[in-house]
Amino acid sequence: MKDIRLEYEVIKDDFIKAGEASSKIKKVLKRLGVDPSVIRRVAIATYEAEMNIVIHSEGGNIEVVVDPERIQVIAKDQGPGIEDVHLAMREGYSTAPHRVRELGFGAGMGLPNIKRCSDEFSIESIVGSFTEVKIIIYQISKQSAQ
């Protein structure tokens, strides 16, 4: 299988279209015949990353590369960045504004859920500039590949 690249723009505060990118990614993975358990993990991680961009940034994009061994997702935004990444990784910690919480979002589970669904996870954030979350989910478990 040739590598497949997908890219989606995510708009700040666009709660109408929020979730579209992760839904489209899920549909492509289904058409490619990716294992349902892998699709579920990718869908959860990309949805959480997409919502983080909608809620906390000035906008950004999600890039996905699918190859026979793994699925790589890079969610990068422009915006305020994260002052304390360690604190932001704690379940239940949220900087979401009240208006977002009233919509049912911003419970402080986004980054922990992304990490939980990932085989490899990294986050880089520069305050006042950007945040980039990189996720890798293997299609073939490392044990079965050996």
Side-chain angles (χ1 to χ4, degrees):
M1 177 173 84
K2 187 176 167 185
D3 290 1
I4 295 174
R5 295 180 182 275
L6 309 166
E7 185 169 349
Y8 302 93
E9 182 179 16
V10 181
I11 309 294
K12 172 189 176 177
D13 290 334
D14 189 349
F15 289 95
I16 302 295
K17 291 185 178 178
E20 275 190 5
S22 53
S23 179
K24 288 177 180 176
I25 292 164
K26 183 178 176 181
K27 286 178 185 172
V28 169
L29 296 178
K30 280 183 178 178
R31 280 198 311 259
L32 293 172
V34 172
D35 184 278
S37 65
V38 172
I39 293 172
R40 181 178 178 277
R41 293 169 58 207
V42 171
I44 292 169
T46 53
Y47 177 78
E48 296 285 8
E50 186 176 2
M51 292 309 297
N52 279 348
I53 292 172
V54 170
I55 293 168
H56 298 287
S57 78
E58 297 300 320
N61 64 339
I62 295 177
E63 296 176 24
V64 180
V65 178
V66 182
D67 70 34
E69 293 184 11
R70 66 188 195 162
I71 299 166
Q72 176 180 283
V73 179
I74 297 176
K76 185 171 183 177
D77 68 41
Q78 300 83 42
I82 301 172
E83 286 189 30
D84 186 336
V85 171
H86 180 72
L87 186 58
M89 292 300 302
R90 191 166 40 176
E91 290 185 11
Y93 177 80
S94 178
T95 59
H98 183 69
R99 66 178 173 73
V100 171
R101 290 177 188 236
E102 285 183 333
L103 296 172
F105 301 107
M109 295 302 295
L111 290 174
N113 279 340
I114 294 169
K115 185 175 182 180
R116 190 175 300 113
C117 289
S118 304
D119 291 313
E120 294 181 27
F121 170 88
S122 65
I123 184 168
E124 178 182 6
S125 188
I126 305 285
V127 173
S129 185
F130 73 92
T131 298
E132 180 178 283
V133 175
K134 184 176 178 182
I135 306 156
I136 294 175
I137 297 173
Y138 290 99
Q139 296 201 63
I140 302 168
S141 73
K142 288 183 177 180
Q143 287 182 332
S144 64
Q146 295 175 355

